[in-house]
Every structure is written in C-alpha cells, then in structure tokens.
Amino acid sequence: MNDLLQGAWIIPVLPFLAFVIIGLLLHRWPKVAAATSILAIGLALLYSILIAAEVFSSPPGQVFVESVRWLDMPGLRVDMGILIDPLSTVMLLVVTIVALLVQIYSLGYMEGDPGLASYFAYQSIFAGSMLGLVLSSNFGQVFVFWELVGLCSYLLIGFWFGRESAKEAAKKAFITNRVGDFGFLLGILLLAVLFGNLDYGTLADRLAGYQNLAILVPIAFLLFAGPVGKSAQFPLHVWLPDAMEGPTPVSALIHAATMVAAGVYLLARAFFIFSAVPQAMLLIAAVGGFTALFAATIALVQNDIKRILAYSTLSQLGYMVMAMGIGAMTAGMFHLMTHAFFKSLLFLGAGSVIHALDGEQDIWKMGQLAHKMPVTTWTFVIGALALAGIPPLSGFWSKDEILLGAYASGNMLLYALGSLVAFMTAFYMFRLIFVAFFGSESHGEHAHESKPVMTVPLLILAVLAVGAGFVGSPLMGNVFGHFITAPGVAHHEPSISIMVISSLLAIAGIALAWMIYQKQAISHENLRQRWAGIYQLLYHKYYIDELYARLIAVFIDGTARVLEWVDLRIVNGAVNGLAYLTGWTGRTLRYTEDGQVQTYALYLFAGVVVVLISALLAVYTALA
C-alpha cells in the first residue's frame, strides 16, 4: 500500500507536465494539445481510483503522510509533501472525474477556437494546481497552490480577452480573491509565529493539549477569510456571477465543482482549528446560512441561464459552509461531492444550449428546446431534480444531512432558513426549465442536439447525479460518513420527518413554478408588476455591486486623487523647484565663464585682494 501512496505525487505532476509540453511544443497543433491534456488528466484519474481502492479498503482513520523538508529555520519549519486520507481521496476523485469530463466536452464546445491549445494548457495547469492543493500536507503548501488556482481562474475567466466584459470579470475575480487571501495569509503567519510549524498533523497534536484557546480566535477568523473569498461567500461573493464571462466548460469545472469548493475543503481540513473556537463556528454558520438565502433570492428573477446557475452555486456553497459551522463537517463534504456532479452537469447542459443557440443565454429567448435537444433537456432535468433534493437523487441525501445537522444542533433559525432555501432552489431551477425547455414560445428554430463528444459527458454526469448520493444514504449504511469524519464532527440518525418535509417543500417549489411558467394559472407579468420594487431589488442583486462601485469611487478613487495632488503639488513641486534653482544657478554663473584672459585675471586679482584683506583683518584682530 505504501508504495502506491508514495507515488501519489505523480497525480498533480501529470497535468503540470501536460501544461509544460503544450506551452513549449504544441501550440501549432491544438488537437494534439487537447489529446495531451486529456491523456494526462485521464491517467491522474486512474491513479486516483487505485488510491481510492486502497484507502477505502483500509480501516477508517488511517492517514498517510510523506514529506520532505523545504524550509528549516529557528522557530519555523515548513515541509512539502502529500497527505492521503479519505477526505483528500474523495476530493481527488471529484476533481479528476469532473476535469476529465469537462475536457472531453470542451472538444466540442471549443471546436474551432483559435486559442484552443492555450485553453487546454490552462485547463491542465488548473487541474494540477487543484490536485496539488488537495494533496498538500500543510498550510504553507496549500497557500502556494491556493494562489495558483486563483491565477488559473483569472486566465480562464478572461480567456476571451477580446471582450471587455471578460477582461473586467477576470480582474474582478482576481482582486476580490486577493482580499480574502490576504486574511488567509495573515492567519497562516500567526500559526507559524505561535507554533513554528504549519503541518496539519503537528498542529492538531499541539492544539489537543493547548490551554490558551483564546489566541485561536483571531487565527480562525483570519483563516476563514480565505474560504470566504475562494468559495464566494458574502460579502466577497460578487466575483462569481461575473466569472460566467469565461467559456461555459470553465464555469462547470472551476466555478461549480472544484475551485469554489476549495474553501469548503479547507474548512474541513482545518476543522480541528475551527471546532476549537465557538465564535468562529458561529460566524461560519451565520455567513454560510445568510449566503445561501441571499443568493437563492437573487436567482429567483435572473434571466441569464448561466447567472441563474451561478447564484445557485453561491447558495449551495452557503449550505456547505453552514454545515461546517454547525459541526456537520461530514454533511458539508457529502454535499460538496454530490453538488460537484449535478452542478457541473447543469453548467455543461447550459453550455450545450448556448452552443446550439449561437451564444444566446437569455432563457426568455429560448423555449421548446425539449423536442430539439432531448438528451440535453432530460439530463438537465435530472441535474435540476438532484439540486432540488428530490428523492432518491444524490442531492436529496446530502441536502437532508445538512438540514438534519441544523435541526439536531438546536438552531431552528438555520433549519428554517435551509428549508426555505430548498423551496426556492426547486422553484428557480424549474422556472428555468419550464421557460427555456418547455416554454410556449420558440426562439431557437435552428437549435439542434449537440455532438456525442458533448452529450456523453452529460449522460455520465447524469448517472452520477442520480447514484452518487447512495454512498452516504442509510440504504448503504452511510459509508461516506463512516470514512469522512473527525473529532468534534456531529453525526445524527436519519430523520424521516425531515426527509418528508424537505421533499414536500421541493415538490411545492416545482409545482409553483409549473403553475406560473407552464400552466400560467398565475401571470408572472402581473406578479412582476405587483411586486416591482422587490423584483428590481432582486434583479439588481440588492445593488451590492453598485455599492462597491460607489465605495471604490469614494475611497479608492478619492485616495488616488489626494495622492495625485500630493504628487503634482508637493513631490513634483519640490523636484521642479530644485530643478529650477539648479538651472537659475547655472544661468547666473555662466556669466563668470566667458573665455577671456582679462576676465580671469580680474577674478585672480579680486581673489588676491580678498585674501590680503582677510589676512590684514586677522593680524589687526590679533594685535588688538
């Protein structure tokens, strides 16, 4: 077993190697570049499956760590290594499966794009960075890969850099994440100062007997800033909807299944720190719960198919973060896994529609796609049912685990909030489906089903969306929870009543969407006019972006104007004043240099006179 696990470093190396090969050698042959990238991630998936077979056939709780010394100085030691346990193994499978399917799908979606080789190079380096983050054995190493996935996100969001909106979205994502990452880095530095070590296992052992837990409060808060940025939690959520400017497969991979889940994974990996700080757990639960509700309300009225899914992603990430805050780490990771499959399915399904409609993304300009795109339609419906939590699909099991955790924790406010979000999720997803796929008006006359290279990944993800949840269900003895656990993690017996209530709420959401948008028993136009104020508030995303723009204009732009005045008036004034003084002195003194011997003789005589007068004065002073 150790020989197999010791070689796990090859998993992130394979995509990195593909990136180097494509970048140096294959830009002239985009199809060869694509094949190289797909082969690398395919081999990484095979190795991940072998590791998973070993890990999950061993007793729970076993951890394999292999590391080498990278930095050793008085008071600080940092290693570089790999950590393999059930938690990292699940993430390896999620990342490699989704990345492989997305890259295969991209062959059809990105066909003919002049930057195809660069696209697959970026996909490769992203996959390598994410896999390196998952396998990291300490905070220092995590931060390196954390920043790399941020760089890859910037490159892929702004991939179509000819569009002004894509360039602005890439900058927005990069800068917003730097805010959270700054706090994350400060937390890591505090850990290094206090404990002299950043290794997960060493820190967990030291904290187990640590008495001064109060010092962990600022550390936990600062570390949480990283997941707030990367997993797009309020108030750093603003970058994710704009990130939809990137190619749709990028949205499926980075902004639905993997990168945005990195924050949730970090919360699970560092659960031994957060669970020791009740104030941090309360903050995490509150931020996650608020984000879940906040984003769900915005998704109710959006018209762009990708933005609806983007706000849905924000909401579901809030679910996961809330689960971490109430101690239900296993439930949060379970939902992360199932969500990766059905949300990537939904994004790729949306990409299939956009591809068929020549770039159209407004759901009101679609309609009657079910007859023209049956595979895309029904796989999309399966993904939506899983997201809505309809039994027995995967989202049902994972969502109910979170609701059960909230109920069992005694926090009825979070339970009620989660249940309301479940209703809203079902409503806005089937609003999308009834309008875009079964709408009465047809705007997509030329729509057609996508190529098999795009539909086959949809079918595979649809199977996973249906069946992946059973590994955490009571029907299979909750195998997932048996392996994915940690000290302080809350486990609860399944509750039939919670399952029934959540399922009825989801069905009610679907029924309401059907009545308004399919049967039209209730006019959505009348609803929009009657509740125009609320509609505009939600449609404009509570004007948070406008508020940020105003704050930037007042504080950042205002500070820039003050500094500009200082630069022009004081700094430039001082420099220009010195320059003028130097020039004036030069212009004045130049009259003393006319090249005539008579003038120089006069200067010499004047000098002699001055010297003689000085000498006479000195003598006179001495005699007096």
Side-chain angles (χ1 to χ4, degrees):
M1 175 178 176
N2 281 353
D3 291 339
L4 177 67
L5 300 185
Q6 283 176 345
W9 56 268
I10 196 68
I11 295 175
V13 167
L14 283 167
F16 276 127
L17 186 60
F19 165 74
V20 172
I21 293 172
I22 294 170
L24 294 179
L25 303 174
L26 300 180
H27 261 282
R28 295 184 179 180
W29 301 281
K31 292 184 177 179
V32 179
T36 303
S37 180
I38 292 171
L39 176 62
I41 196 65
L43 292 174
L45 172 58
L46 289 177
Y47 206 118
S48 299
I49 292 172
L50 293 175
I51 287 178
E54 288 287 348
V55 170
F56 294 121
S57 62
S58 304
Q62 290 197 1
V63 178
F64 175 84
V65 181
E66 183 79 14
S67 60
V68 295
R69 190 67 47 80
W70 181 59
L71 176 65
D72 197 352
M73 57 188 294
L76 179 62
R77 168 183 165 179
V78 181
D79 295 336
M80 296 291 279
I82 57 173
L83 184 156
I84 298 176
D85 62 357
L87 184 61
S88 59
T89 302
V90 167
M91 286 298 294
L92 284 179
L93 291 175
V94 168
V95 173
T96 52
I97 290 172
V98 175
L100 177 62
L101 293 175
V102 165
Q103 290 195 23
I104 294 172
Y105 176 96
S106 298
L107 290 173
Y109 190 88
M110 301 295 291
E111 184 179 11
D113 193 289
L116 189 64
S118 295
Y119 172 84
F120 277 98
Y122 297 158
Q123 285 272 4
S124 293
I125 192 175
F126 168 77
S129 302
M130 190 67 201
L131 292 168
L133 187 154
V134 168
L135 288 173
S136 295
S137 61
N138 61 78
F139 281 105
Q141 188 176 343
V142 157
F143 189 76
V144 172
F145 290 110
W146 189 271
E147 294 302 299
L148 269 177
V149 295
L151 170 64
C152 297
S153 175
Y154 171 80
L155 293 173
L156 286 165
I157 293 171
F159 179 74
W160 286 323
F161 53 84
R163 300 178 183 176
E164 188 65 28
S165 57
K167 291 189 292 186
E168 291 300 319
K171 288 193 294 184
K172 186 175 184 178
F174 192 78
I175 294 170
T176 305
N177 272 275
R178 298 292 70 73
V179 176
D181 292 355
F182 179 67
F184 183 36
L185 178 59
L186 289 180
I188 293 174
L189 293 176
L190 278 178
L191 283 174
V193 169
L194 285 174
F195 300 101
N197 199 299
L198 297 175
D199 181 74
Y200 294 135
T202 304
L203 287 172
D205 292 339
R206 293 185 182 180
L207 288 177
Y210 199 65
Q211 300 299 321
N212 187 18
L213 293 179
I215 195 64
L216 293 179
V217 175
I219 292 176
F221 284 2
L222 289 169
L223 291 177
F224 180 52
V228 169
K230 199 70 75 184
S231 290
Q233 297 298 284
F234 182 88
L236 300 181
H237 66 284
V238 292
W239 68 269
L240 185 60
D242 287 3
M244 298 303 108
E245 290 293 335
T248 303
V250 170
S251 302
L253 177 64
I254 294 183
H255 308 118
T258 55
M259 191 194 86
V260 291
V264 179
Y265 173 72
L266 180 69
L267 291 175
R269 179 55 74 195
F271 193 75
F272 64 92
I273 295 178
F274 296 109
S275 60
V277 184
Q279 300 93 325
M281 295 293 279
L282 180 61
L283 176 66
I284 293 169
V287 169
F290 178 79
T291 303
L293 179 63
F294 173 83
T297 58
I298 296 175
L300 294 173
V301 300
Q302 297 302 306
N303 298 324
D304 185 306
I305 187 170
K306 287 178 67 176
R307 284 186 177 266
I308 295 172
L309 297 179
Y311 281 105
S312 173
T313 301
L314 285 175
S315 182
Q316 297 303 305
L317 289 168
Y319 251 126
M320 301 172 207
V321 171
M322 182 181 76
M324 298 294 170
I326 59 178
M329 184 271 280
T330 302
M333 284 302 300
F334 186 28
H335 197 56
L336 184 155
M337 181 191 75
T338 60
H339 177 266
F341 296 135
F342 58 69
K343 186 53 67 67
S344 56
L345 166 62
L346 289 169
F347 266 109
L348 294 184
S352 181
V353 171
I354 295 168
H355 189 263
L357 298 179
D358 298 323
E360 183 57 65
Q361 295 183 201
D362 189 336
I363 61 173
W364 296 101
K365 296 180 180 179
M366 299 177 187
Q368 296 186 14
L369 296 178
H371 303 296
K372 302 167 186 175
M373 306 180 69
V375 176
T376 298
T377 298
W378 294 111
T379 53
F380 196 94
V381 170
I382 289 172
L385 289 170
L387 174 58
I390 299 298
L393 280 72
S394 59
F396 164 74
W397 303 109
S398 58
K399 176 202 67 178
D400 276 24
E401 282 287 319
I402 296 175
L403 294 178
L404 175 60
Y407 183 84
S409 70
N411 196 324
M412 299 309 296
L413 176 61
L414 287 180
Y415 170 71
L417 184 150
S419 299
L420 177 60
V421 171
F423 169 80
M424 290 182 175
T425 302
F427 175 81
Y428 65 65
M429 283 308 304
F430 278 85
R431 167 183 177 266
L432 186 163
I433 287 172
F434 290 135
V435 171
F437 293 94
F438 299 97
S440 57
E441 297 183 14
S442 176
H443 297 277
E445 292 80 4
H446 304 294
H448 55 82
E449 189 57 271
S450 299
K451 299 177 180 179
V453 73
M454 295 172 66
T455 55
V456 169
L458 295 179
L459 293 169
I460 296 172
L461 286 169
V463 172
L464 291 170
V466 172
F470 285 104
V471 297
S473 71
L475 302 177
M476 294 183 64
N478 193 9
V479 175
F480 190 92
H482 186 60
F483 281 94
I484 309 298
T485 187
V489 174
H491 293 281
H492 309 287
E493 290 298 319
S495 172
I496 299 298
S497 60
I498 288 179
M499 292 182 181
V500 171
I501 292 171
S502 67
S503 298
L504 290 176
L505 286 171
I507 293 171
I510 296 173
L512 181 61
W514 177 77
M515 290 178 64
I516 297 175
Y517 298 101
Q518 186 66 30
K519 190 180 179 183
Q520 297 182 347
I522 305 172
S523 171
H524 68 274
E525 287 295 337
N526 290 340
L527 287 174
R528 183 184 301 180
Q529 293 172 7
R530 183 175 181 181
W531 304 98
I534 296 177
Y535 175 85
Q536 290 299 323
L537 181 66
L538 298 181
Y539 183 76
H540 291 284
K541 305 158 286 185
Y542 295 95
Y543 297 96
I544 299 293
D545 289 87
E546 288 81 357
L547 174 62
Y548 280 177
R550 181 61 180 166
L551 291 175
I552 289 171
V554 171
F555 292 102
I556 297 179
D557 293 353
T559 302
R561 284 192 290 271
V562 171
L563 293 177
E564 182 187 30
W565 182 89
V566 170
D567 181 54
L568 292 175
R569 302 293 181 181
I570 298 177
V571 177
N572 283 3
V575 172
N576 292 337
L578 287 173
Y580 177 81
L581 179 61
T582 303
W584 178 84
T585 303
R587 287 191 299 273
T588 302
L589 292 177
R590 72 181 179 177
Y591 294 110
T592 65
E593 303 292 336
D594 57 4
Q596 296 183 9
V597 176
Q598 301 94 310
T599 303
Y600 298 149
L602 179 63
Y603 293 158
L604 179 61
F605 178 75
V608 170
V609 171
V610 171
V611 171
L612 287 173
I613 293 173
S614 299
L616 290 172
L617 288 174
V619 170
Y620 175 78
T621 303
L623 293 175

